[in-house]
Amino acid sequence: MSTHEKQPLLSVVRGGAGPEEIAALTAVLAARAAAARSADEAPAERPSGWRNRARGLRTPLRPGPGAWRTSAR
């Protein structure tokens, strides 16, 4: 056996943790490890600005002073 197999993964240092408490702690640690692995994965590629269909839409016109300047933009 290797030295890694001889050492326990978790050990209770103080108090009397029951099997339910150790199972809950193990579940929390496993969930955090899974979240960290999924965060390390490459994010989805953003679509190109040229493919963005909203780019061709106009912004709404707002009446008021100087509105004629923004109507051409």
Side-chain angles (χ1 to χ4, degrees):
M1 279 198 217
S2 69
T3 58
H4 182 62
E5 292 176 3
K6 293 178 184 179
Q7 296 177 355
L9 184 61
L10 297 173
S11 64
V12 178
V13 178
R14 284 189 187 167
E20 295 87 12
E21 294 171 329
I22 293 176
L25 177 63
T26 305
V28 169
L29 292 176
R32 283 196 63 163
R37 276 193 305 271
S38 67
D40 289 342
E41 292 176 3
E45 186 177 323
R46 283 183 48 194
S48 169
W50 292 103
R51 292 182 57 194
N52 187 0
R53 290 188 279 168
R55 187 174 173 224
L57 300 176
R58 264 177 57 158
T59 58
L61 299 176
R62 293 183 180 91
W68 62 272
R69 290 185 189 141
T70 60
S71 66
R73 294 184 187 157

